[in-house]
Amino acid sequence: MAARQVVNSVRRVAIFGGTHGNELSGVFLVNHWLKHGEEIARPGIEVRPFITNPGAVEKCVRYVDTDLNRVFDSENLRSESNSNTYEVKRAQYINSIFGPKGSEDAYDVILDLHNTTSHMGATLILENSKDDFTIQMLNYIKNSMAPLSCYVLLIEHQRLKYATTRSIAKHPIGVEVGPQPQGVLRADVLDKMRSIIKHALDFMNYFNEGKEFLPCSLEVYKVMDKVAYPRNANGDCTAFIHKNLQDQDWKELKPGDPMFFTLDGRMMAYEGDCTVYPTFINEAAYYEKNQAFTITQKMTLCAQAIRCTPPK
Amino acid sequence: MAARQVVNSVRRVAIFGGTHGNELSGVFLVNHWLKHGEEIARPGIEVRPFITNPGAVEKCVRYVDTDLNRVFDSENLRSESNSNTYEVKRAQYINSIFGPKGSEDAYDVILDLHNTTSHMGATLILENSKDDFTIQMLNYIKNSMAPLSCYVLLIEHQRLKYATTRSIAKHPIGVEVGPQPQGVLRADVLDKMRSIIKHALDFMNYFNEGKEFLPCSLEVYKVMDKVAYPRNANGDCTAFIHKNLQDQDWKELKPGDPMFFTLDGRMMAYEGDCTVYPTFINEAAYYEKNQAFTITQKMTLCAQAIRCTPPK
Ligand SMILES: [Zn+2]
Ligand SMILES: [Zn+2]
């Protein structure tokens, strides 16, 4: 007989918008749900919509002082320095409400809403390949979104650490939908994000009602590395995403395939030693991080069956 | 016999990039041409690439204090106030090099490079429906771009005044290519912009060589009005571009067609009294101007034949 995990019911869920203040789908959905909560209400679950970076939302910029989505590490969360940035102060405040990170008191699930300028479609971001509950949820969402594509990006990595806003929850889930320019709200992108949230909440509702979710396997794209833009001695970008690679997120990139072009007409090919699946191709926010795209590999995760602890 | 205008040869041309600092095609092309001028060199013409708003380019924002592309009116160009914004100071400096606006000393032609998040494709912006030389140039560019579409937007308007950066030239031409998110460089958009500049310079070269351009007619989209986002009493946007209108720049919008949607599921139709052609649909930079899209009407301009003053 297959193993089965028995997990506590889901009691507290947060939906974060505005972690990046110019990613408008989440900003407008969360602001809408703050006034009209019926759509996200589910029996027995506290579902709390929350704007995480109101300072950045106000100015319609990614962040005020520093990227909020990278400061949820123990050092920043504990820092008592007077020179803490706006975002570090916000992180501590958010952690005090929805955390503390790593504790029993932390929220069960946080869904953090993001947009990208990359052609990634509907993407779910998973942080932990051992988290069967979240894998089951993402599998449910992915199947419910079909025939629309829905990709899962696994950001678990030895070296690359993210310290995301949602990481304070027991089960953190990033929702990343694109392409959408910064500072723009597109109806098609909004619809996809809204469907993802509906299916996520439905899953938690069925789970709490006692439905058993059978063992499943989930195709994910695991982050392997980041590819930088070529720069000259002055630090200026000297090459850009090649037209053959533009908008080709999640598609095969093979050694020898065009990767960058220069303004004087040269092509630079991908020189890795195996086929990879690029994503976050030409994301606006990553120019300052000098990141042209992210390389992933496809793999399959398996999750045990899960069922809720029977009600007392 | 048809009338023919005899016009002086073109001596001085400027190519402006970075009038909006986060519209990267022009920024990178102009920076490239500042180092590698061969591509834009034409015999007997001074072609000067120039970054108009380096402060905004540095920060990758639209502007530092105020929109540079709206301050080239006589009041700002003459102001000696100590409290002039960064952009007003830049405008005066630019006017001192490439102007003075309205004088004989002004540059012959300024091509000002812009990007939009709207699906406008390759667009040329004309300021004056009586300027036969420019109409002939835009007609030449449009024909040279075929089979790629190339649209001409005429911004001459009784009430809406633009005071653009390029307006200091005798013949100002806006080049607007999209869709491209702010802060992103796309290869396809760059290619279109680069082709437009090549054809513009070729036209001026042929013209200077004495080629006669025969009478022509040019289809243009003339700006009629702007459509605002609906807002509530707090000034918050309450409706957004409907999915049927998104990406439909230059296509017919008829009375009764969907225009906006609200987050609680209502559709708002276009209520004008005739068919119009919308453009600048869902442009990121126009949220702060509260402008959802621009309404145009199609019309045809005619230009007389033109020929260069014979060389002495
Ligand atoms: Zn984001
Ligand atoms: Zn612009």
Side-chain angles (χ1 to χ4, degrees), chain B residues 111-127:
Chain B
L111 296 150
D112 192 18
L113 307 182
H114 291 261
N115 293 121
T116 173
T117 63
S118 306
H119 281 231
M120 289 168 63
T123 299
L124 305 167
I125 306 183
L126 175 67
E127 306 212 348

Side-chain angles (χ1 to χ4, degrees), chain B residues 125-129 153-163 221-227 294-297 299:
Chain B
I125 306 183
L126 175 67
E127 306 212 348
N128 175 357
S129 62
L153 179 67
L154 172 63
I155 62 170
E156 195 176 51
H157 196 282
Q158 200 101 42
R159 175 173 43 86
L160 304 169
K161 299 293 176 197
Y162 291 85
Y221 294 80
K222 181 175 161 66
V223 168
M224 304 308 291
D225 212 344
K226 295 170 178 181
V227 175
T294 298
I295 280 176
T296 75
Q297 282 186 347
M299 57 183 285

Side-chain angles (χ1 to χ4, degrees), chain A residues 210-268:
Chain A
K211 178 174 161 63
E212 177 166 13
F213 290 88
L214 298 176
C216 73
S217 62
L218 179 68
E219 182 184 81
V220 305
Y221 294 80
K222 182 176 159 66
V223 168
M224 305 307 291
D225 213 343
K226 294 168 179 183
V227 176
Y229 288 106
R231 305 246 170 192
N232 64 19
N234 297 331
D236 302 322
C237 219
T238 55
F240 303 92
I241 297 294
H242 193 277
K243 65 179 192 301
N244 293 20
L245 179 57
Q246 180 69 48
D247 306 338
Q248 303 305 307
D249 302 73
W250 313 117
K251 308 241 171 87
E252 284 190 352
L253 179 69
K254 294 194 283 288
D257 283 348
M259 176 171 65
F260 295 126
F261 75 100
T262 68
L263 292 191
D264 52 11
R266 280 177 302 123
M267 183 277 276
M268 298 161 75

Side-chain angles (χ1 to χ4, degrees), chain B residues 30-61:
Chain B
V30 165
N31 276 327
H32 177 69
W33 290 329
L34 282 166
K35 287 186 220 146
H36 308 279
E38 323 81 56
E39 181 180 345
I40 54 170
R42 295 295 185 278
I45 311 183
E46 177 202 323
V47 181
R48 182 159 176 195
F50 187 78
I51 295 286
T52 46
N53 195 337
V57 169
E58 174 73 27
K59 296 179 177 166
C60 197
V61 294

Side-chain angles (χ1 to χ4, degrees), chain B residues 2-168:
Chain B
R4 181 211 290 161
Q5 276 197 308
V6 180
V7 190
N8 287 331
S9 64
V10 177
R11 290 291 155 227
R12 293 186 305 165
V13 175
I15 306 176
F16 285 175
T19 294
H20 296 129
N22 53 12
E23 297 175 4
L24 296 191
S25 307
V27 170
F28 280 101
L29 279 173
V30 165
N31 276 327
H32 177 69
W33 290 329
L34 282 166
K35 287 186 220 146
H36 308 279
E38 323 81 56
E39 181 180 345
I40 54 170
R42 295 295 185 278
I45 311 183
E46 177 202 323
V47 181
R48 182 159 176 195
F50 187 78
I51 295 286
T52 46
N53 195 337
V57 169
E58 174 73 27
K59 296 179 177 166
C60 197
V61 294
R62 183 170 175 85
Y63 53 76
V64 176
D65 294 321
T66 183
D67 189 342
L68 179 66
N69 213 29
R70 295 291 182 274
V71 296
F72 285 77
D73 50 60
S74 53
E75 193 185 330
N76 279 307
L77 292 178
R78 276 190 217 134
S79 165
E80 291 177 8
S81 161
N82 286 325
S83 59
N84 281 337
T85 61
Y86 173 76
E87 275 82 8
V88 168
K89 287 180 204 146
R90 280 299 295 177
Q92 295 181 352
Y93 175 65
I94 293 164
N95 192 43
S96 76
I97 303 177
F98 299 96
K101 180 170 174 168
S103 78
E104 262 313 298
D105 282 345
Y107 265 51
D108 298 309
V109 171
I110 295 177
L111 296 150
D112 192 18
L113 307 182
H114 291 261
N115 293 121
T116 173
T117 63
S118 306
H119 281 231
M120 289 168 63
T123 299
L124 305 167
I125 306 183
L126 175 67
E127 306 212 348
N128 175 357
S129 62
K130 304 278 187 293
D131 177 357
D132 284 3
F133 173 81
T134 303
I135 293 169
Q136 286 280 6
M137 190 187 326
L138 302 195
N139 185 56
Y140 176 87
I141 297 170
K142 189 180 157 91
N143 290 336
S144 305
M145 293 290 284
L148 262 184
S149 295
C150 182
Y151 305 90
V152 177
L153 179 67
L154 172 63
I155 62 170
E156 195 176 51
H157 196 282
Q158 200 101 42
R159 175 173 43 86
L160 304 169
K161 299 293 176 197
Y162 291 85
T164 60
T165 310
R166 61 193 174 263
S167 68
I168 54 183

